[in-house]
Amino acid sequence: GRQMKIDELTATSGGGTLRLSGVTIFGEDGTEYRLRAAAERVRMRYPPNISSVFDGQLTLAGTGNRTILNGELIVSRLSTAKGMTFGELFASFRQPARTQASGSALQNVQLNVSVVSIPNLAIETTLVSNVEAQIDFKVVGTAASPSLLGDIGITQGTLHMFGTRYHVNRGDVRFVNPFRIEPLLNVELETRIRDVDLALVLSGPARRLNLSYLSDPP
């Protein structure tokens, strides 16, 4: 008739499991659907230099003219590519380029997906060792033009840079622009060089970071 129902469809993606279900109704005024996906230990490489493993639930509901993707993803593991530089890391958070294929179909898909992490998420990276972080943001906007709102907080870590080891006192990457992906960095580092205590603060947008410092003695 006019209805298609998926009782259960199981797939493997990124080493994890996806379970899909839902219903689609073909009416005279258009198509309505409600599709659900449950992810378990799925690995995703996006942006390309960042790999994450997550669990979660997603629901895509609406009509052909307007749909909403709701849900929550819980990140349990995060790592960066080997040898990745800070420039490459922050470039990964830039707004993705809109392609010719990003037409009305993707523009009609509204996003409202919460992304959180397990407590004290350990991040595997060659840039920083013993790093723990907390992720709490939302993916909003449309599928054609997504944005992020929220922050990634760094609770601890050790940074090796130019032959010197820095301790991360505090750090966060905030996303506050509802119209584009634009990370704002605020990280405080400290080290000791030749009996001088040095504190560095990196702040500002990823494309234009500001550096300030304090030393004791001056």
Side-chain angles (χ1 to χ4, degrees):
R2 294 184 174 181
Q3 179 174 293
M4 179 181 69
K5 183 179 180 183
I6 302 174
D7 290 321
E8 183 178 5
L9 174 62
T10 304
T12 300
S13 177
T17 303
L18 282 172
R19 290 183 172 84
L20 309 174
S21 61
V23 62
T24 301
I25 301 173
F26 305 97
E28 295 180 357
D29 297 329
T31 304
E32 298 181 15
Y33 45 88
R34 183 176 181 85
L35 305 174
R36 292 176 295 275
E40 182 179 345
R41 302 292 296 174
V42 172
R43 179 183 295 274
M44 178 176 65
R45 286 183 173 86
Y46 183 84
N49 289 323
I50 298 177
S51 174
S52 58
V53 176
F54 63 88
D55 299 77
Q57 304 276 343
L58 294 173
T59 300
L60 182 67
T63 66
N65 295 325
R66 182 177 176 82
T67 59
I68 299 178
L69 180 65
N70 286 300
E72 181 182 58
L73 301 179
I74 303 174
V75 180
S76 58
R77 185 176 179 182
L78 192 67
S79 61
T80 64
K82 187 176 181 180
M84 188 178 187
T85 66
F86 276 105
E88 293 169 336
L89 175 62
F90 293 120
S92 299
F93 290 105
R94 290 184 305 185
Q95 186 79 9
R98 187 174 301 185
T99 64
Q100 192 68 24
S102 299
S104 59
L106 293 180
Q107 194 68 45
N108 290 337
V109 180
Q110 299 289 322
L111 303 176
N112 184 30
V113 179
S114 174
V115 180
V116 299
S117 68
I118 61 174
N120 299 322
L121 173 69
I123 301 179
E124 301 172 16
T125 171
T126 56
L127 294 172
V128 185
S129 59
N130 301 320
V131 62
E132 292 185 356
Q134 192 76 31
I135 297 174
D136 186 3
F137 62 78
K138 276 195 171 186
V139 184
V140 296
T142 67
S145 182
S147 185
L148 302 178
L149 293 175
D151 62 82
I152 301 174
I154 302 172
T155 55
Q156 71 173 46
T158 303
L159 168 66
H160 299 270
M161 184 168 59
F162 303 123
T164 302
R165 185 175 68 177
Y166 295 86
H167 174 71
V168 180
N169 280 341
R170 59 176 176 84
D172 62 83
V173 182
R174 299 172 59 231
F175 301 89
V176 298
N177 192 330
F179 305 108
R180 61 181 293 109
I181 299 175
E182 188 175 37
L184 299 175
L185 181 69
N186 191 348
V187 175
E188 182 180 306
L189 310 171
E190 70 172 14
T191 190
R192 186 172 180 84
I193 303 176
R194 297 180 182 178
D195 298 327
V196 176
D197 294 321
L198 182 64
L200 302 177
V201 177
L202 293 169
S203 61
R207 66 178 183 277
R208 192 178 65 255
L209 284 176
N210 299 313
L211 170 65
S212 59
Y213 68 91
L214 295 172
S215 65
D216 185 20

